[in-house]
Amino acid sequence: MAADRHFPTAPGRPAAAALWVATHSRAVLALVAFFTLLALLQLVDWSGPRLRLAIDPSLDSLSALDDETRAFEERVRTRFGGEDTVLVLLRREQASAPAPLSGAGIRRLRHLTESLAALPGVVGAQSLATAALPRQEDDTLVLRALGADDEADPGLAERLAATVRDNPLLEGQLVAPDLEAVAVAIEIDHDAAVRGDGALARALIATADAAAGSGYRAHVTGSLLVRAATNEAVAEQLRSTLPAVILLLSGLLAAAFRSWRGVLLPLATIGLALLWTAAVCSALGRSLNLVTSLVPPLLATMGLAYCAHVLSEFEALSREPEYAHPGVRIRQLLRDIAGPVMLTGFTTGLGLLALSFNAVPAIREFAWLSALGVFFTMVLALSFLPAMLRLTATGTPTRMLPGEAWLQAQSERLGRFDLRFRRGILLGAGLLMALAVLSASRVQVGDSFVGIFPEDARVRVDFETISRELGGVTPLSVIVEGGPNSLVEPANLRALDALERWIEQQPEVGHVVGLPDHLKQLNRLLSGGPAVLPDSRGLAKQLMFFGDARTLAGVVDRPRASTRLAMRLTVDDTVAISAFLDRLQPQLEALPPGLRARVSGEAASLARSVETVTDGQISGIGLALLVIYGVLSLQFLSAWIGFLATLPTLLQTGLYFGALGIAGVPLNATTSLVECLVLGLAVDDTIHYLARFNAAAKRCGSETDAAVSALGAVLRPISLTKAILAAGFLTLTLGELENQIVFGWLAAFTLLAAWLVDVLVTPAFMSGVRVVSLWDSLRVNLGRHVQSTIPLFAGLSDRQARLFALMSRLESYPPGHRLMTEGESAGGGTKGDPAGDAFVLIDGECRVWIEREGREIELNRVGRGAVLGETGYFGQKRQANVDTLGPVRLLRFDDADQERICRRYPAVAARVFLNLNRIQAERRSQTAALMAAPEHP
């Protein structure tokens, strides 16, 4: 197995860098310590001390609004006020407690309203105790709030019940329909609501609970509460889950490597990468949000994968006597592992950066932040980790790691199984991919924001209770605009009223109120008749003039040109919201000419953004797959091999989306990011497998044997990595947020699917091809002036000549080695020297001779560029003996090699065939002339 691990070691920049790291370990650690100190100075405010990296619980980063839409939302907020409202509901729980509409109940409500209004960050508070209610005084209609004399009135409850009934401005707004609960609507400072001010949220809850007293129960909800709860949940996730993951990973690493190095060094590498990434995030003034909070588990995943490969290779080398010296061992380690790890990091980083074209800010931040973290992880895995291994290593050979011998035996069986049932595995993979695509077509696009909390969490209980009692919580508005005084036109008012009636019939809508409701109530109060719309422009203007200016300011502007229909939805998942918006749009377009309507509000913005996120994610994943395909094609110098190498990743992607469809999990910003994990790990394992496969194919000359050998080399690292990471991600299922729980289960499933593809499908895909890597091509040394000094390569470029060399076998022999023996026939020969092979002399000199009548006759001495054995190559007997005169380096190729070249690089094969035929013709002509000469023996 030792030969399988070693890649070409021709001198070059990678080798020089490996030598520098291997011989300057202390300098490497000094550099790492310097950058770590800079990161700590940036990340930690030592005057506190406290972390400068904050958590942003707002949903703004998930919004894909363009500049025009943002400007529109700002105009709506300026004109009508914002939707940053918190609702506090007081419900009577005991019959012995005073009724909510009684004098004692109103006093309790007034105290609560005034206490809430006095809190810092609260702009205003309104309830039934402070609202301007209509009443008759001296035969005059007035609008006045309840006072102390009203609270002393024994008939207050009945009078208020009559006032509330059938009044959409009060019933379902400030009073529950059953009259057993009353509400306070609190307007919150916009900045405090956006940042999810936790102190204000806690103060609101504490004030409401204190005012509820005995017999009542308080419920508080609103965007401020949801954001604050999200902030706290994410912080708690980082406080509790990350330590649990670290403890779990430590235990599993200890069991796997049985050494302190196997535990501390991977954790230190991952920790440094996270620290550096967090410091850059802090330096740029960015905060973690619901999406970028998933960067740490992603980096832990990739970092552990890199470390597992490095440590496994290090332990394997330590058992070989020629690498007993730590410096030699680290040098060889870096030569073996640097290429695959660098390619993995480069490919994964490009795949992640493909997401930076997404319209959603949080996704773009996730893309560049995770790509930066992957880069840091790659650098540390190739510098800090080897340096630490160099300084802590001993010359004592290590014993085999736990499970290594068993896995080695199983890899042999598994590899042979893959080869034996290759067609069946590939057919099964194709069918599975088709089923996955069919299932993926059922995936819905959507997200839920309160639904991510447990059912018994107070933020969710309060949201659902108030939504049920008051007919919805999630705010949404329809902004209708026209010309000046267009909203006093009776026809336009009737159209708005019809739109309201249609909206209130929709299952997602719990309550809707707009200008028509205000005018109906004012008309009823002023006329004493039924609540109907005014039938003339003059009456409409009069009603708006006499109405409560403060209340109407939130409904219609002064020019009477624009109005807001405010509704509350009973749902918060974007699937239902999007379905409602799709039905609403035709109704808005059917308004009378001159009126333009547009939906406003965070709920609508997020529903559209989720669709945009998903479309962008799918496009980003497609672009990432194309980038991976391009990089792998370049790496292996073949579009076909690049395609084959991409197929396992494509299959794992299909399995992931198919699982979403089967499980009914919606696709959103969180679940779609799990695919980044799939791409990173799939590409990582494929590249490492192909690197081993490449080395093994060159050593044994058989792709089928190489497929088995490569699987044996990578089975333990990939199994170890995926088992440990699956256990680590499953700890996320112990958290509070549903999106984190789903992420944990999906990640664990993804890792299992990826492992099955790695050990079954990838070897079956690759067992029939010869892999040539870009690193190999750059390292192959064929000497200078290849086209003019090696006739077989005439007409080929340097790159094409190196490709031919890599598809053949580059071998070295000492002086006095017999290359060919006269008289051997195709298919015969001794072991290691089958007639039928041809040779191209790259360096050195050979002697060509025959034996006649017991004496040796030297025919020629040949040097660079000579083709030897071409006669046997075409199926004839060897015509002479060939011995090496000194150290030689040559290319050996046969029919199988040429057939592979024909399939992979037909242009190269055609030129080589032409040159070989010309050389054969020239050789025959020279032989005939020699035999015809009189002096010829």
Side-chain angles (χ1 to χ4, degrees):
M1 295 301 296
D4 296 352
R5 287 192 295 270
H6 303 158
F7 304 121
T9 57
R13 291 184 179 179
L19 176 62
W20 193 90
V21 171
T23 56
H24 296 79
S25 299
R26 288 183 173 81
V28 170
L29 295 180
L31 286 173
V32 171
F34 173 73
F35 287 115
T36 302
L37 178 61
L38 291 181
L40 287 172
L41 291 175
Q42 169 57 47
L43 189 60
V44 180
D45 182 359
W46 296 100
S47 62
R50 62 180 181 84
L51 288 177
R52 290 193 175 98
L53 184 63
I55 297 174
D56 177 14
S58 75
L59 302 179
D60 289 352
S61 61
L62 296 178
S63 177
L65 299 183
D66 53 34
D67 293 340
E68 190 277 331
T69 304
R70 292 183 187 277
F72 168 74
E73 295 290 347
E74 185 60 33
R75 289 198 305 272
V76 171
R77 185 180 297 109
T78 302
R79 186 178 302 171
F80 299 109
E83 294 178 340
D84 304 313
T85 302
V86 169
L87 293 176
V88 176
L89 183 77
L90 285 183
R91 166 158 284 279
R92 184 166 66 159
E93 296 282 329
Q94 299 175 6
S96 59
L101 301 188
S102 66
I106 293 298
R107 280 194 297 273
R108 184 195 302 257
L109 180 61
R110 183 189 306 280
H111 172 71
L112 173 60
T113 306
E114 292 173 350
S115 298
L116 292 171
L119 293 175
V122 174
V123 176
Q126 187 178 30
S127 67
L128 188 65
T130 60
L133 300 177
R135 66 181 65 201
Q136 292 285 340
E137 293 183 357
D138 299 330
D139 297 328
T140 302
L141 178 67
V142 296
L143 295 173
R144 183 171 62 83
L146 297 174
D149 54 338
D150 295 303
E151 296 171 5
D153 182 1
L156 177 63
E158 294 181 4
R159 180 158 58 86
L160 287 178
T163 302
V164 169
R165 292 294 186 192
D166 299 324
N167 186 339
L169 305 181
L170 298 176
E171 188 178 20
Q173 289 277 83
L174 300 178
V175 183
D178 64 357
L179 306 181
E180 288 296 310
V182 290
V184 182
I186 309 165
E187 185 179 353
I188 304 296
D189 176 77
H190 178 66
D191 292 337
V194 168
R195 69 175 181 269
D197 190 329
L200 177 56
R202 290 189 293 271
L204 290 171
I205 294 173
T207 302
D209 289 344
S214 61
Y216 276 76
R217 182 176 179 182
H219 300 276
V220 188
T221 193
S223 61
L224 168 69
L225 277 300
V226 175
R227 288 167 175 165
T230 302
N231 193 345
E232 178 58 31
V234 172
E236 179 61 28
Q237 187 93 346
L238 294 175
R239 286 194 299 267
S240 60
T241 305
L242 280 183
V245 170
I246 291 173
L247 288 175
L248 177 62
L249 293 183
S250 300
L252 294 174
L253 287 170
F257 289 103
R258 299 287 179 88
S259 69
W260 67 267
R261 282 196 304 263
V263 177
L264 297 182
L265 295 187
L267 294 180
T269 302
I270 295 170
L272 289 173
L274 290 173
L275 176 64
W276 290 8
T277 306
V280 173
C281 186
S282 173
L284 295 176
R286 310 307 300 170
S287 302
L288 291 181
N289 53 51
L290 284 175
V291 177
T292 55
S293 63
L294 298 176
V295 170
L298 175 67
L299 294 186
T301 301
M302 298 306 302
L304 193 56
Y306 294 164
C307 293
H309 284 291
V310 173
L311 284 170
S312 296
E313 186 70 15
F314 175 81
E315 297 292 344
L317 287 172
S318 67
R319 291 193 291 272
E320 299 181 17
E322 62 267 37
Y323 301 118
H325 188 277
V328 176
R329 192 187 316 167
I330 295 300
R331 180 173 179 175
Q332 187 61 47
L333 168 72
L334 289 170
R335 282 175 168 171
D336 288 354
I337 211 74
V341 170
M342 286 169 53
L343 181 62
T344 297
F346 180 70
T347 307
T348 304
L350 284 180
L352 290 168
L353 287 177
L355 300 175
S356 61
F357 295 100
N358 199 288
V360 178
I363 301 297
R364 294 198 299 270
E365 289 183 11
F366 175 87
W368 68 260
L369 192 60
S370 54
L372 181 66
V374 166
F375 172 75
F376 286 153
T377 304
M378 177 193 71
V379 170
L380 288 166
L382 294 178
S383 59
F384 170 78
L385 184 55
M388 289 297 297
L389 290 173
R390 167 69 178 85
L391 294 178
T392 60
T394 64
T396 305
T398 60
R399 64 182 184 274
M400 295 192 73
L401 296 172
E404 189 171 2
W406 182 84
L407 280 175
Q408 189 62 52
Q410 298 308 311
S411 69
E412 179 76 18
R413 297 174 185 172
L414 189 58
R416 296 301 173 190
F417 174 86
D418 293 344
L419 298 180
R420 181 181 178 185
F421 298 100
R422 181 174 184 269
R423 293 183 181 274
I425 291 174
L426 297 182
L427 178 61
L431 292 176
L432 196 60
M433 183 66 179
L435 291 175
V437 171
L438 182 63
S439 176
S441 63
R442 301 167 48 192
V443 176
Q444 286 188 315
V445 177
D447 208 346
S448 177
F449 303 103
V450 177
I452 66 175
F453 294 96
E455 292 183 357
D456 59 347
R458 175 160 185 175
V459 63
R460 183 168 176 177
V461 170
D462 286 2
F463 176 90
E464 293 174 349
T465 300
I466 295 179
S467 182
R468 183 173 58 252
E469 296 283 353
L470 297 181
V473 171
T474 306
L476 198 65
S477 299
V478 173
I479 307 301
V480 181
E481 298 176 308
N485 288 317
S486 59
L487 296 179
V488 299
E489 294 290 343
N492 289 341
L493 291 174
R494 288 192 295 270
L496 292 178
D497 187 51
L499 177 61
E500 275 195 55
R501 304 290 76 78
W502 181 89
I503 290 175
E504 68 182 7
Q505 294 172 6
Q506 304 310 301
E508 300 87 357
V509 180
H511 193 274
V512 59
V513 63
L515 179 61
D517 298 299
H518 287 268
L519 294 180
K520 287 179 182 180
Q521 295 303 315
L522 289 171
N523 197 14
R524 183 182 70 174
L525 293 173
L526 291 176
S527 66
V532 296
L533 287 172
D535 55 5
S536 67
R537 287 170 51 93
L539 181 56
K541 286 186 175 182
Q542 183 181 16
L543 293 176
M544 292 185 193
F545 177 79
F546 284 106
D548 181 20
R550 186 181 62 176
T551 301
L552 284 178
V555 178
V556 63
D557 63 355
R558 286 186 175 275
R560 312 311 186 212
S562 61
T563 184
R564 175 166 70 178
L565 276 65
M567 65 189 87
R568 294 203 301 266
L569 307 182
T570 58
V571 295
D572 83 315
D573 64 284
T574 61
V575 174
I577 294 174
S578 295
F580 167 65
L581 293 177
D582 290 341
R583 298 196 307 272
L584 176 62
Q585 190 58 37
Q587 302 295 322
L588 301 183
E589 295 173 355
L591 288 173
L595 294 182
R596 304 177 305 279
R598 185 171 177 177
V599 178
S600 170
E602 188 176 63
S605 299
L606 291 174
R608 298 189 193 100
S609 296
V610 168
E611 295 180 353
T612 304
V613 166
T614 306
D615 292 341
Q617 287 289 82
I618 293 174
S619 301
I621 289 169
L623 180 58
L625 287 171
L626 286 176
V627 169
I628 290 171
Y629 165 71
V631 171
L632 292 176
S633 297
L634 177 63
Q635 161 69 4
F636 298 111
L637 300 172
S638 168
W640 173 243
I641 297 299
F643 174 71
L644 289 179
T646 308
L647 282 178
T649 303
L650 186 62
L651 175 60
Q652 293 174 43
T653 301
L655 291 177
Y656 172 72
F657 284 106
L660 291 184
I662 293 174
V665 177
L667 188 63
N668 51 49
T670 300
T671 55
S672 60
L673 289 179
V674 179
E675 179 56 19
C676 295
L677 174 68
V678 176
L679 292 175
L681 286 178
V683 172
D684 173 66
D685 293 334
T686 299
I687 289 172
H688 280 282
Y689 176 84
L690 291 179
R692 309 290 183 156
F693 176 80
N694 188 18
K698 289 179 176 59
R699 180 184 65 85
C700 60
S702 168
E703 283 75 24
T704 54
D705 291 343
V708 177
S709 178
L711 182 59
V714 301
L715 181 60
R716 188 178 189 277
I718 65 175
S719 299
L720 174 65
T721 300
K722 287 181 171 57
I724 292 177
L725 290 174
F729 279 118
L730 286 176
T731 60
L732 294 177
T733 63
L734 304 177
E736 181 179 355
L737 295 179
E738 181 68 21
N739 67 327
Q740 302 281 3
I741 295 173
V742 171
F743 184 91
W745 283 114
L746 286 175
F749 165 79
T750 297
L751 291 165
L752 174 62
W755 182 83
L756 291 173
V757 172
D758 289 337
V759 302
L760 292 176
V761 181
T762 302
F765 267 131
M766 305 309 300
S767 60
V769 298
R770 172 73 65 88
V771 177
V772 174
S773 74
L774 177 61
W775 306 113
D776 297 335
S777 175
L778 294 176
R779 287 169 174 170
V780 167
N781 181 15
L782 297 180
R784 302 179 63 185
H785 309 299
V786 174
Q787 297 87 348
S788 60
T789 59
I790 303 179
L792 188 67
F793 295 154
L796 295 179
S797 66
D798 288 344
R799 184 185 68 85
Q800 289 174 322
R802 289 195 296 268
L803 287 176
F804 181 87
L806 290 168
M807 296 298 287
S808 308
R809 280 152 288 167
L810 189 61
E811 300 176 349
S812 299
Y813 293 100
H817 180 81
R818 175 65 56 86
L819 287 179
M820 292 185 299
T821 302
E822 181 183 5
E824 289 178 339
S825 59
T830 60
K831 182 179 180 182
D833 180 26
D837 285 3
F839 301 86
V840 180
L841 194 56
I842 304 300
D843 296 313
E845 187 178 17
C846 291
R847 173 174 173 258
V848 183
W849 59 279
I850 59 176
E851 184 176 354
R852 294 292 184 268
E853 299 177 357
R855 65 189 184 92
E856 294 182 2
I857 301 174
E858 184 174 303
L859 301 178
N860 197 5
R861 292 195 176 199
V862 295
R864 175 175 171 79
V867 176
L868 304 170
E870 76 282 358
T871 303
Y873 178 79
F874 286 107
Q876 302 179 24
K877 292 183 178 181
R878 301 293 195 191
Q879 301 297 313
N881 303 297
V882 179
D883 295 335
T884 62
L885 292 176
V888 300
R889 196 162 58 97
L890 48 79
L891 285 177
R892 180 200 290 263
F893 62 94
D894 56 18
D895 287 337
D897 297 324
Q898 192 72 354
E899 183 179 348
R900 279 190 293 266
I901 298 173
C902 286
R903 292 197 308 265
R904 292 275 306 282
Y905 308 104
V908 175
R911 173 58 65 176
V912 170
F913 264 127
L914 178 63
N915 293 339
L916 191 60
N917 285 325
R918 186 177 66 248
I919 293 170
Q920 174 78 352
E922 293 175 354
R923 186 68 54 82
R924 286 180 177 274
S925 175
Q926 293 171 0
T927 302
L930 179 64
M931 297 300 292
E935 66 275 11
H936 190 275

